[in-house]
Amino acid sequence: MGHTIADKKKLLARVRRIKGQVEAIERALEGEAGCEPVMHLIAAARGAMAGLMAEVVEDHVRTHLVDAEIYPKALNSDAIEQLLDVVRSYLK
Amino acid sequence: MGHTIADKKKLLARVRRIKGQVEAIERALEGEAGCEPVMHLIAAARGAMAGLMAEVVEDHVRTHLVDAEIYPKALNSDAIEQLLDVVRSYLK
Amino acid sequence: MGHTIADKKKLLARVRRIKGQVEAIERALEGEAGCEPVMHLIAAARGAMAGLMAEVVEDHVRTHLVDAEIYPKALNSDAIEQLLDVVRSYLK
Amino acid sequence: MGHTIADKKKLLARVRRIKGQVEAIERALEGEAGCEPVMHLIAAARGAMAGLMAEVVEDHVRTHLVDAEIYPKALNSDAIEQLLDVVRSYLK
């Protein structure tokens, strides 16, 4: 993806947190938890997954739509922010 | 938006269809329809609204992220298609 | 639907507000508004549609799953609230 | 939750599959995969999570809204199916 290490670290930290959330759902089911806590755990994991997707989409938009080495000024930054606003509002 | 007339016509046709769908919900409520048809009408109108949003986002991505008159070759078309795939999968 | 008049009035008021929002999208497109305001108008109308669906689903759950005249105490109100919490969190 | 063992097994199988999908996202990020496969993996995991939620909600609706031992005939099965149709259409 050509992400900087910082980005990759941040994304990996998000994914590992989601894995922990999925394991919590697994333990809740194994422990015969009621529907309510299970539904809350799933809703939280789903929100975290949406946040991860929003971040990957944002990286994709900022770094891959245009090759910044060849066209360093081609991306219209206002238009990018408007697009990311919409993406984030749907990825909640 | 700088859309071609064709695009604007297509978007307007979509919006007018949605207005018709909202009016159908209104009539169903006025006519004391049951919950089931009302829920179906709302689900259909919501799907049409998502389709409209997907189309406007697509126009935005294709025409506004980069000024094609100045940078006609800057947009990476594969990366654009990957982005629009994700947008469409969330706008369903 | 067997709604009380109060409910029906509230739902109709919501639907009419949505119709106004759809007409605002139509006017924005006719007036050659930019993508950004159009995307915001669509996002707002979609939110209002989701709110309408949440309200109809809530009515449906509260009034149709069980015939309250025959089984006035059958619905478990905690379980209903847990269900509606999930429904509302997805209908945002 | 009072699920039968069969249900619990099915739900656990779903959760474990999702854990595998999240681990695949982790490996893809560690292996410097491109955005496109990562976005597809996330979209697939999100779909699986939505399917899990739909199933838990369905169990909740069928087994907890009404105590079937006390009121075995209270739930209106048509109304339940209509509700679950809406839930499933939003949990996709």
Side-chain angles (χ1 to χ4, degrees):
Chain A
M1 264 185 281
H3 289 112
T4 66
I5 296 290
D7 277 335
K8 194 182 135 177
K9 272 191 184 160
K10 209 167 53 165
L11 292 173
L12 272 170
R14 272 184 185 269
V15 175
R16 286 171 187 150
R17 213 166 334 145
I18 293 170
K19 192 164 68 173
Q21 290 175 294
V22 174
E23 287 166 347
I25 301 169
E26 191 181 1
R27 281 193 304 276
L29 285 169
E30 287 171 340
E32 309 281 347
C35 278
E36 190 182 24
V38 171
M39 292 191 293
H40 279 151
L41 289 168
I42 299 173
R46 171 219 187 217
M49 196 85 89
L52 173 66
M53 182 61 119
E55 198 158 333
V56 174
V57 169
E58 183 167 345
D59 276 5
H60 180 69
V61 166
R62 292 194 192 283
T63 64
H64 298 139
L65 299 189
V66 166
D67 186 330
E69 293 192 10
I70 308 179
Y71 307 102
K73 294 178 171 177
L75 269 186
N76 176 329
S77 60
D78 282 356
I80 292 291
E81 295 313 317
Q82 293 161 14
L83 170 64
L84 293 175
D85 268 4
V86 174
V87 166
R88 280 186 290 255
S89 80
Y90 274 84
L91 286 172
K92 257 193 298 196
Chain B
M1 263 186 281
H3 290 111
T4 66
I5 296 290
D7 277 336
K8 194 181 136 179
K9 271 192 186 158
K10 206 167 56 163
L11 292 173
L12 273 170
R14 272 184 185 269
V15 176
R16 285 169 188 151
R17 212 164 338 146
I18 293 170
K19 194 165 68 172
Q21 290 175 293
V22 174
E23 287 166 347
I25 302 170
E26 191 182 2
R27 281 194 304 276
L29 286 168
E30 286 171 341
E32 309 282 347
C35 278
E36 191 182 24
V38 171
M39 292 191 294
H40 280 151
L41 289 168
I42 299 173
R46 171 221 187 214
M49 196 85 89
L52 173 66
M53 183 61 118
E55 196 158 336
V56 174
V57 168
E58 184 167 344
D59 276 5
H60 180 69
V61 165
R62 292 194 192 284
T63 64
H64 297 138
L65 299 189
V66 165
D67 185 330
E69 294 193 9
I70 308 179
Y71 306 103
K73 294 178 173 179
L75 270 185
N76 177 330
S77 59
D78 282 355
I80 292 291
E81 295 313 317
Q82 293 161 14
L83 170 65
L84 293 176
D85 267 3
V86 173
V87 165
R88 281 186 288 254
S89 80
Y90 275 84
L91 286 172
K92 259 192 298 196
Chain C
M1 265 183 281
H3 289 113
T4 66
I5 296 290
D7 277 337
K8 193 181 136 179
K9 271 192 186 159
K10 207 168 53 164
L11 292 173
L12 272 171
R14 272 184 185 267
V15 175
R16 286 169 188 153
R17 213 166 334 146
I18 294 170
K19 192 165 69 172
Q21 290 175 292
V22 174
E23 288 166 346
I25 301 169
E26 191 181 3
R27 281 194 304 276
L29 285 168
E30 287 171 340
E32 310 280 346
C35 278
E36 191 183 21
V38 172
M39 292 191 294
H40 280 152
L41 290 168
I42 299 173
R46 172 221 187 213
M49 196 86 88
L52 173 67
M53 182 62 117
E55 197 158 333
V56 175
V57 169
E58 184 167 344
D59 276 5
H60 180 68
V61 165
R62 293 194 192 283
T63 63
H64 297 139
L65 300 190
V66 166
D67 186 329
E69 293 193 10
I70 308 179
Y71 306 102
K73 294 178 173 179
L75 269 185
N76 176 329
S77 61
D78 282 354
I80 292 290
E81 295 312 317
Q82 292 161 14
L83 170 65
L84 293 176
D85 267 3
V86 174
V87 166
R88 279 186 290 253
S89 81
Y90 276 83
L91 285 173
K92 257 192 297 197
Chain D
M1 265 186 280
H3 288 112
T4 67
I5 296 290
D7 277 336
K8 193 182 137 180
K9 271 191 186 160
K10 206 168 54 164
L11 292 173
L12 272 170
R14 272 184 185 269
V15 175
R16 286 169 188 152
R17 212 164 337 147
I18 294 170
K19 192 164 69 171
Q21 291 175 292
V22 174
E23 287 165 347
I25 302 170
E26 192 181 2
R27 281 193 304 276
L29 286 168
E30 286 171 341
E32 310 281 347
C35 278
E36 192 182 21
V38 171
M39 292 190 294
H40 280 151
L41 290 167
I42 299 172
R46 171 221 187 214
M49 195 86 88
L52 173 66
M53 182 63 118
E55 197 158 334
V56 175
V57 169
E58 183 167 344
D59 276 5
H60 180 69
V61 166
R62 293 194 191 283
T63 64
H64 297 139
L65 298 190
V66 165
D67 187 329
E69 294 192 10
I70 308 178
Y71 307 102
K73 294 179 173 178
L75 270 186
N76 176 330
S77 60
D78 282 355
I80 292 290
E81 296 312 318
Q82 292 161 13
L83 171 63
L84 292 176
D85 267 3
V86 174
V87 166
R88 280 186 290 254
S89 81
Y90 275 83
L91 285 172
K92 257 191 299 195

